[in-house]
Amino acid sequence: MDATPEAIGATQGPTARLVLASASPRRLALLQQIGIEPDALLPAEIDETPRKAEPPRELARRLARTKLATAEAALHLGDATMPTWLLSADTVVAVGRRVLPKAEVPDEAADCLRLLSGRQHRVFTAICVLSPGGRRERIVETRVRFKRLSGRDIQGYVASGEWRGKAGGYAIQGLAGAFVVKLVGSYSAVVGLPLYETISLLEGEGYPVRAGWGGLA
């Protein structure tokens, strides 16, 4: 793909418009990987603080729904002149019922890594699709096991800076891929967007998911 969508007014064709309610370059790249180029990015700034005793699965669902509703309100879809599909997602990393933060400072990242070391954790990614015909959602659970991390592993990874802003304090598509002993579920969901489920939801809601495939060769 040559262009990155920047404005709500951009369109990819005469029949449909797709808006991604996210500023994540990872989610954009994953969509582009399967030949889908959003016409616009519409980041939804929301409070992602977990509620008291809120299960990780329900947190992911609530945040994805809230992002969708926030973007829907900003778009004024009732006034749209072209059929519009809106896609939102959120990823939550948890050890048991404990939700790990999106690490912003080195100590926070190191704490996450120490907690993940040598054990299994779960990654919940919720996706929501709003179409001219309705809305659908899906939650994908992936189980990931890390090797036992040494002090040098943790120190080196924290120094890399890859963890910044990442749920659970790591990015599986980067250096932290070397920590993964076992993964059961969707790798792309851990990155930020489960591709099989996303394309299934979009296609089920009538979005032309293969419209751009002819130009990929």
Side-chain angles (χ1 to χ4, degrees):
M1 297 294 177
D2 296 325
T4 297
E6 295 179 351
I8 291 299
T11 59
Q12 69 180 14
T15 60
R17 181 175 70 154
L18 176 65
V19 177
L20 176 61
S22 175
S24 168
R26 299 171 298 282
R27 291 193 175 111
L28 175 60
L30 285 167
L31 279 177
Q32 291 172 331
Q33 177 185 321
I34 56 173
I36 297 177
E37 184 72 56
D39 300 286
L41 305 181
L42 185 57
E45 297 297 331
I46 65 171
D47 181 2
E48 300 189 10
T49 305
R51 294 171 178 167
K52 185 176 181 180
E54 185 174 27
R57 175 185 292 271
E58 294 308 311
L59 173 62
R61 188 199 312 273
R62 177 173 64 83
L63 295 182
R65 286 177 173 176
T66 303
K67 288 179 180 179
L68 189 79
T70 302
E72 179 185 6
L75 277 174
H76 305 291
L77 292 180
D79 301 327
T81 58
M82 180 179 297
T84 299
W85 282 254
L86 182 59
L87 172 65
S88 68
D90 196 84
T91 300
V92 170
V93 175
V95 175
R97 291 178 61 90
R98 178 176 175 179
V99 174
L100 275 62
K102 292 182 178 178
E104 296 295 345
V105 297
D107 285 349
E108 200 170 34
D111 287 345
C112 286
L113 293 171
R114 281 190 285 266
L115 187 62
L116 296 173
S117 175
R119 66 194 304 177
Q120 177 177 278
H121 61 277
R122 293 175 299 160
V123 180
F124 298 95
T125 297
I127 52 174
C128 297
V129 171
L130 175 66
S131 75
R135 68 184 68 208
R136 298 173 69 189
E137 63 184 43
R138 192 80 58 85
I139 298 180
V140 176
E141 177 182 343
T142 303
R143 297 190 298 277
V144 182
R145 179 177 292 277
F146 270 17
K147 72 168 189 171
R148 188 171 298 280
L149 302 177
S150 67
R152 291 179 63 187
D153 287 330
I154 294 174
Q155 183 179 18
Y157 190 71
V158 170
S160 77
E162 277 192 354
W163 48 268
R164 198 174 302 277
K166 307 297 193 304
Y170 75 94
I172 195 171
Q173 69 274 23
L175 299 171
F179 300 157
V180 178
V181 174
K182 186 177 181 180
L183 184 149
V184 179
S186 169
Y187 170 83
S188 62
V190 181
V191 179
L193 194 69
L195 294 182
Y196 168 75
E197 289 79 8
T198 297
I199 205 168
S200 295
L201 285 184
L202 287 171
E203 187 171 37
E205 287 300 310
Y207 183 77
V209 295
R210 297 173 187 82
W213 286 17
L216 296 178

